[in-house]
């Protein structure tokens, strides 16, 4: 025990010493090298070395949108396979009127959303293109994680019906709510659960160019998509004379070709082609051909769609976009399309106005904390707590003095007067 404590002490001292030495070195460096500190250059009115003409970098939370500007952030661009570099399908659309919309919420995308440091009350509108795990896999993380990250607004979800009741969005969200029965019971009375409410709007997956959302100058329409079985849809968002289209997953289809012609910004799946599905994903050849060219839209098919619809800017997603796959995918797109295109990667950011479309990458802080609610804080109602059975409750070992220390410390820090429960 003693040895460990001594080691810790020495380790602590060593770190402290290194820190002090490093600080001294930084302070002494200009004198040692004859460099002039940056501040004196600023004082003389010269350009500060910290300033650059233009950065292709977006730092979340630092740029307000112009009233006529749209910002789109890729929060998931990959495949159904979990991967640190790319989450599955998810795009955030932010508008100059303050509205924000999430399109799909695939596996792993919730942490990308979190990295943008937006209050969750503003992330309350979610549109689901279809119910594959790579498009809804982080719905629970947005729903429950949103509550624990201070969302007090209900989560509003729009999603398609299915060929049967059991393949529709409402069936899925009802079962998800049931799946989290224990989670719900555990939180009631311990945290404010207003944000737990889900308001689900299920619309007809066969509807063509039908309005499913119209608020605050924003109209969202739905188109049937063709993917795997009946049910999938694509979306078109219109606001302020700008048109944004999101395919979710679809095989090339007549509705997309007709209704997304000339949109300002089109995000369409551009799936891994058969050769990559075999060589990198280890699919059987027949399955690769079927999945890549019959269930999905492969790069040359994506290019063909874009050359017919001619958006101002095209974005392909739904592929592992690496140093070795990107050249092949772009070459295949270029067989059929010569317009503006980005092959999306997570944290790619686009600013869209009538005059310009700019592509950048977001640089995020990995150590983010939740933002406060935009509404006044609301506490839990302790009378709703479900609590424990006597058997479990009586197993508690109560460290009275230690708990009292925390109550005293917290009351002093925040000017409150809470008493530990008896
Ligand atoms: Zn799918
Ligand atoms: Zn998909």
């Amino acid at each position: 025990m003693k040895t460990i404590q001594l080691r810790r002490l020495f380790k602590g001292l060593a770190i402290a010493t290194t820190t002090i030495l490093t600080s001294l070195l930084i302070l002494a460096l200009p004198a040692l090298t004859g460099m002039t500190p940056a501040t004196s250059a600023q004082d003389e009115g010269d350009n500060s070395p910290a300033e650059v003409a233009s950065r292709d970098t977006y730092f979340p939370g630092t740029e307000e949108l112009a009233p006529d500007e749209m910002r789109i952030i890729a929060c998931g661009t990959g495949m159904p396979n979990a991967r640190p570099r790319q989450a599955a399908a998810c795009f955030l659309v932010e508008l100059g009127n303050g509205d924000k919309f999430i399109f799909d919420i695939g596996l792993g995308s919730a942490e990308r959303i979190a990295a943008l440091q937006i209050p969750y009350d503003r992330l309350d509108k979610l549109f689901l293109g279809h119910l594959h795990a790579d498009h809804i896999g982080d719905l629970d993380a947005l729903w429950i994680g949103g509550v624990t990250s201070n969302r007090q607004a209900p989560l509003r979800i729009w999603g398609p019906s299915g060929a049967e009741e059991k393949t529709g969005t409402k069936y899925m969200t009802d079962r998800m709510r049931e799946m989290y029965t224990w989670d719900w019971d555990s939180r009631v009375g311990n945290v404010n659960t207003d944000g737990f409410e889900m308001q689900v709007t299920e619309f007809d997956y066969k509807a063509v160019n039908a309005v499913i959302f119209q608020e605050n100058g924003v109209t969202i329409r739905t188109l049937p998509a063709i993917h795997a079985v009946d049910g999938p849809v694509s979306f078109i968002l219109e606001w302020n004379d700008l048109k944004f289209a999101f395919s979710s997953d679809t095989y090339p289809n007549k509705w997309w070709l007709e209704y997304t012609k000339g949109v300002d910004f089109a995000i369409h799946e551009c799936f891994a082609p058969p050769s990559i599905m075999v060589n990198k994903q280890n699919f059987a050849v027949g399955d690769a051909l079927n999945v890549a060219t019959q269930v999905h839209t492969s790069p040359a098919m994506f290019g063909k769609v874009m050359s017919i619809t001619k958006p101002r800017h095209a974005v392909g997603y739904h592929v592992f976009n690496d140093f070795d796959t990107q050249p092949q995918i772009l070459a295949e797109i270029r067989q059929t399309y010569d317009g503006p295109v980005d092959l999306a990667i997570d944290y790619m950011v686009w600013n869209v106005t009538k005059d310009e479309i700019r592509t950048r990458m977001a640089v995020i802080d990995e150590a983010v904390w939740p933002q406060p609610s935009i509404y006044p804080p609301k506490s839990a109602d302790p009378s709703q707590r479900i609590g424990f059975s006597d058997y479990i409750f009586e197993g508690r070992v109560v460290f009275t003095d230690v708990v009292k220390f925390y109550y005293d410390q917290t009351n002093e820090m925040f000017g409150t007067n809470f008493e530990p429960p008896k």
Side-chain angles (χ1 to χ4, degrees):
M1 190 70 185
K2 258 191 181 152
T3 331
I4 293 168
Q5 278 172 347
L6 275 174
R7 262 193 219 145
R8 276 197 195 138
L9 183 66
F10 279 122
K11 207 173 164 193
L13 279 172
I15 290 167
T17 317
T18 318
T19 315
I20 292 163
L21 284 175
T22 314
S23 313
L24 285 173
L25 194 64
I26 289 166
L27 286 172
L29 201 60
L32 291 172
T33 56
M35 276 164 48
T36 319
T39 42
S40 61
Q42 272 175 337
D43 293 343
E44 289 159 22
D46 292 335
N47 278 342
S48 159
E51 287 173 14
V52 294
S54 168
R55 258 190 233 278
D56 293 320
T57 310
Y58 169 65
F59 298 99
T62 63
E63 293 179 19
E64 279 192 22
L65 286 172
D68 61 348
E69 190 176 16
M70 179 186 279
R71 179 168 54 218
I72 299 144
I73 305 180
C75 295
T77 60
M79 299 281 274
N81 321 84
R83 148 183 256 223
R85 190 160 190 249
Q86 281 175 283
C90 180
F91 290 87
L92 175 72
V93 177
E94 301 179 276
L95 306 180
N97 69 359
D99 279 349
K100 299 182 198 299
F101 302 87
I102 301 172
F103 289 91
D104 285 350
I105 185 84
L107 298 166
S109 60
E111 74 174 61
R112 270 68 166 147
I113 296 268
L116 303 175
Q117 303 188 65
I118 297 167
Y120 278 80
D121 293 311
R122 299 197 190 284
L123 298 169
D124 63 339
K125 292 183 280 301
L126 171 66
F127 290 77
L128 300 174
H130 66 294
L131 308 182
H132 265 149
D134 56 318
H135 297 256
I136 63 163
D138 264 9
L139 176 53
D140 52 359
L142 178 69
W143 173 48
I144 299 173
V147 177
T148 61
S149 300
N150 308 319
R151 189 187 63 236
Q152 296 186 36
L155 183 60
R156 304 169 70 193
I157 301 170
W158 286 260
S161 60
E164 299 173 72
E165 190 195 337
K166 70 175 186 184
T167 48
T169 300
K170 189 86 173 62
Y171 187 93
M172 179 276 289
T173 52
D174 284 350
R175 265 89 202 148
M176 183 181 74
R177 170 69 185 79
E178 275 178 35
M179 182 175 98
Y180 283 105
T181 300
W182 185 90
D183 185 287
W184 167 261
D185 284 0
S186 77
R187 294 181 203 278
V188 171
N190 288 317
V191 292
N192 170 36
T193 47
D194 285 2
F196 252 107
E197 192 192 335
M198 276 186 283
Q199 295 176 352
V200 181
T201 306
E202 185 174 293
F203 55 85
D204 180 7
Y205 73 94
K206 288 180 177 164
V208 178
N209 208 33
V211 174
I212 53 163
F213 176 94
Q214 198 153 41
E215 286 176 23
N216 208 13
V218 184
T219 302
I220 297 179
R221 295 169 191 274
T222 171
L223 301 174
I226 302 178
H227 173 63
V229 291
D230 268 33
V233 298
S234 301
F235 297 107
I236 299 173
L237 180 152
E238 283 172 85
W239 166 75
N240 201 39
D241 208 20
L242 289 173
K243 250 187 175 181
F244 161 92
F246 173 62
S247 76
S248 195
D249 284 357
T250 191
Y251 189 82
N253 69 72
K254 61 179 184 181
W255 301 289
W256 181 275
L257 293 194
E258 181 175 349
Y259 291 101
T260 75
K261 268 207 174 75
V263 296
D264 295 277
F265 201 87
I267 300 176
H268 193 288
E269 70 151 303
C270 176
F271 203 78
S275 58
I276 289 178
M277 290 300 287
V278 175
N279 290 332
K280 303 279 289 188
Q281 194 104 357
N282 295 299
F283 259 51
V285 175
D287 291 352
L289 276 165
N290 175 51
V291 170
T293 71
Q294 305 302 315
V295 179
H296 286 283
T297 296
S298 269
M301 296 157 73
F302 165 87
K304 189 84 183 160
V305 169
M306 293 306 143
S307 67
I308 294 168
T309 52
K310 295 187 174 47
R312 275 177 67 209
H313 197 92
V315 171
Y317 87 102
H318 216 313
V319 63
F320 283 166
N321 183 354
D322 295 340
F323 71 95
D324 56 344
T325 54
Q326 193 186 75
Q328 180 189 336
I329 294 161
L330 284 173
E332 290 178 15
I333 292 172
R334 288 308 186 201
Q335 288 175 25
T336 50
Y337 176 62
D338 60 4
V341 65
D342 289 314
L343 196 56
I345 186 90
D346 290 18
Y347 296 125
M348 199 172 265
V349 178
W350 300 270
N351 287 69
V352 181
T353 63
K354 270 289 158 205
D355 303 323
E356 192 191 9
I357 295 176
R358 186 177 182 205
T359 307
R360 291 180 293 170
M361 288 299 297
V363 172
I364 57 108
D365 177 1
E366 291 195 335
V368 289
W369 289 77
Q371 296 295 305
S373 173
I374 61 172
Y375 306 112
K378 238 177 161 181
S379 290
D381 174 3
S383 71
Q384 291 188 333
R385 272 175 213 163
I386 289 173
F388 298 101
S389 64
D390 290 346
Y391 174 79
I392 292 298
F393 191 79
E394 281 158 17
R396 298 191 323 152
V397 179
V398 182
F399 299 131
T400 310
D401 290 350
V402 184
V403 172
K404 188 176 177 322
F405 155 75
Y406 280 117
Y407 270 74
D408 290 348
Q409 184 203 50
T410 310
N411 282 329
E412 197 184 319
M413 202 178 269
F414 299 103
T416 50
N417 199 19
F418 288 99
E419 293 276 341
K422 293 280 179 275

